[in-house]
Amino acid sequence: MTDRYTVVSADCHAGADLLDYKPYLEKRYHDDFDAWAATYVNPYEDLVADAADRNWNSDRRTAELEADGIVAEVVFPNTIPPFFPSASLMAPAPAPEEYERRWAGLRAHNRWLADFCDLLPGRRAGVAQILLNDVDEAVAEIRRTKDAGLTGGILLPGAPPGSGVPELYSGTYDPIWAVCDELGVPVNHHGGSASPPLGDEPAARAVFMVETTWFSHRALWHLIFGGAFRRHPGLRLVLTEQGSGWIPGVVEMLDYYHGRLVAAATRASTAESKFGAGLAAAMGKGPSEVWRDNCFVGASFMRPHEVPLRDRIGLDKIMWGSDYPHDEGTAPYSREGLRIAYAGLPRDEVAAMVGGNAARVYGFDLGLLDPIAAVHGPTVDGIAEPLKEVPAGATSPAFAPGGSVRVW
């Protein structure tokens, strides 16, 4: 047994430089792309800075991740795909007149991502993007990207109030759940991707920070109460970069409402009985059973106060992530991020949370990764040592003092 951990980051981000998407667009969009790109102003400072090439420079990225102790990654989007006003992770559902071009832009990103993952075989699980405006198109793209070798599953867009697309509990999306179940494709829902537009006032930005994870959590109860897991029992949902400490309490709350509404539906007509009508038949298993059988958490830069909840969350559910290359991520201090969370825990538990669970969910071959980790991975003894001092340059919330976050 090696004395190092095999670390798989279940939350990293990448994308092409703006003009490099053009070869991946269908040719009929090239003139439109040239006109759009000529006037586009990138709103994100980190995507125009010298460090921006960490998103697409494969050699630099590999070297920095290995130096940080990470040997494989799940790759979510980050840069601006063609015809989008902002990063696609944050962009709202397109209006009908915008849909065709933005859908072309996302497919270009998916093609680029397949090539990018091929540069490092077996070590990048690319997450394909879809839109919810046209379910048949989405299903076709899921099949295509699976065949193209993207093993990270799909990124489920948010459907916040006012988005113009049906809510996620809608039966409209059943063909998407069906094909993901059929192909063994994980459905990923990333934090920040489901908030409604709030404007740009200081208060709006603060409200966004308070509410954004809650809006992302909604996917869990929408799919549970919508019966997606009853109809497609092999469907897997991964909730990424939206914390993990909330899960036990929310699952208990969902169990409470499920039991209360189902019971009410069996009684004589009351005000509450209407809310539970048909729920038991539509859902099948209760929420805690669905969490146990179908759900996982991409617990990016897991915080120390969340770790004592690991048994209630499920040790087989938790997948640590560095969030590279974002400022809020743990790089280049991921070893310290692992220490502040996991020091003193049993080795087998740490191994599962930092790599084993992600390998199982996303299909990484540990036979390939373990020898690489034997060179680059953090040592077992190193992670076991409690962190006494936060690195001066650390910017991740993983290291935030105060509240219930303990810092040694």
Side-chain angles (χ1 to χ4, degrees):
M1 180 183 290
T2 178
D3 64 347
R4 295 177 184 265
Y5 287 115
T6 299
V7 180
V8 177
S9 174
D11 181 28
C12 288
H13 296 263
D17 199 1
L18 188 72
L19 298 180
D20 290 341
Y21 276 123
K22 182 176 177 178
Y24 293 94
L25 270 173
E26 296 159 76
K27 287 185 178 179
R28 69 178 183 270
Y29 295 105
H30 282 193
D31 289 344
D32 283 352
F33 176 81
D34 290 341
W36 171 80
T39 60
Y40 185 78
V41 177
N42 198 315
Y44 302 108
E45 292 182 6
D46 62 317
L47 294 183
V48 294
D50 291 341
D53 76 328
R54 291 181 296 175
N55 286 283
W56 58 80
N57 183 331
S58 182
D59 291 340
R60 176 179 182 175
R61 186 184 185 94
T62 302
E64 291 188 0
L65 286 171
E66 288 179 348
D68 210 26
I70 296 166
V71 298
E73 56 175 328
V74 180
V75 186
F76 288 89
N78 201 43
T79 62
I80 313 295
F83 310 121
F84 273 72
S86 60
S88 55
L89 184 66
M90 305 291 289
E97 61 271 17
E98 301 165 333
Y99 168 74
E100 180 185 348
R101 294 204 312 170
R102 290 201 197 171
W103 182 227
L106 282 196
R107 295 201 307 273
H109 170 82
N110 291 342
R111 296 184 191 106
W112 173 87
L113 184 59
D115 282 352
F116 185 70
C117 292
D118 283 345
L119 295 174
L120 205 64
R123 296 177 63 183
R124 290 176 180 151
V127 178
Q129 295 188 82
I130 61 169
L131 289 173
L132 299 176
N133 304 62
D134 187 318
V135 169
D136 291 340
E137 288 276 2
V139 168
E141 184 68 359
I142 293 167
R143 292 191 180 278
R144 190 197 68 77
T145 54
K146 172 75 171 181
D147 290 343
L150 293 182
T151 57
I154 64 164
L155 177 61
L156 177 64
S163 66
V165 298
E167 295 276 9
L168 291 178
Y169 57 71
S170 172
T172 302
Y173 302 125
D174 228 43
I176 293 176
W177 318 140
V179 72
C180 289
D181 186 0
E182 173 196 339
L183 300 178
V185 168
V187 175
N188 305 278
H189 194 58
H190 194 283
S193 62
S195 298
L198 294 171
D200 196 40
E201 297 179 34
R205 294 192 292 270
V207 168
F208 173 84
M209 289 299 296
V210 171
E211 294 182 346
T212 185
T213 53
W214 181 86
F215 274 106
S216 298
H217 300 344
R218 293 174 78 231
L220 176 62
W221 51 83
H222 277 236
L223 268 66
I224 288 176
F225 286 124
F229 301 101
R230 179 188 66 79
R231 296 186 298 278
H232 312 288
L235 184 67
R236 292 174 294 162
L237 176 67
V238 182
L239 302 170
T240 297
E241 199 180 337
Q242 42 186 289
S244 58
W246 60 276
I247 291 168
V250 166
V251 172
E252 289 175 5
M253 177 193 72
L254 298 179
D255 275 340
Y256 164 75
Y257 277 109
H258 172 256
R260 174 177 159 184
L261 293 173
V262 168
T266 65
R267 295 195 292 267
S269 181
T270 64
E272 195 164 80
S273 67
K274 305 184 187 102
F275 291 96
L279 188 62
M283 281 181 57
K285 296 181 294 188
S288 58
E289 295 174 284
V290 171
W291 178 262
R292 181 196 66 201
D293 295 341
N294 301 88
C295 301
F296 303 85
V297 57
S300 311
F301 42 80
M302 196 172 187
R303 297 152 177 87
H305 71 280
E306 297 173 307
V307 176
L309 298 169
R310 63 193 183 278
D311 289 319
R312 292 176 62 197
I313 297 167
L315 270 167
D316 60 334
K317 307 293 183 185
I318 297 168
M319 302 181 290
W320 179 88
S322 73
D323 199 29
Y324 176 93
H326 289 165
D327 288 343
E328 66 268 26
T330 53
Y333 305 109
S334 289
R335 289 178 178 82
E336 290 82 357
L338 292 169
R339 287 170 62 192
I340 201 170
Y342 298 139
L345 297 189
R347 177 175 178 168
D348 60 333
E349 294 187 8
V350 177
M353 292 187 286
V354 305
N357 293 336
R360 185 178 74 256
V361 172
Y362 293 106
F364 287 105
D365 180 1
L366 291 176
L368 168 70
L369 299 182
D370 286 346
I372 304 170
V375 177
H376 300 289
T379 65
V380 172
D381 288 345
I383 300 305
E385 183 69 24
L387 187 68
K388 294 183 173 62
E389 184 176 353
V390 172
T395 56
S396 173
F399 302 106
S404 56
V405 180
R406 68 179 186 272
V407 177
W408 292 274

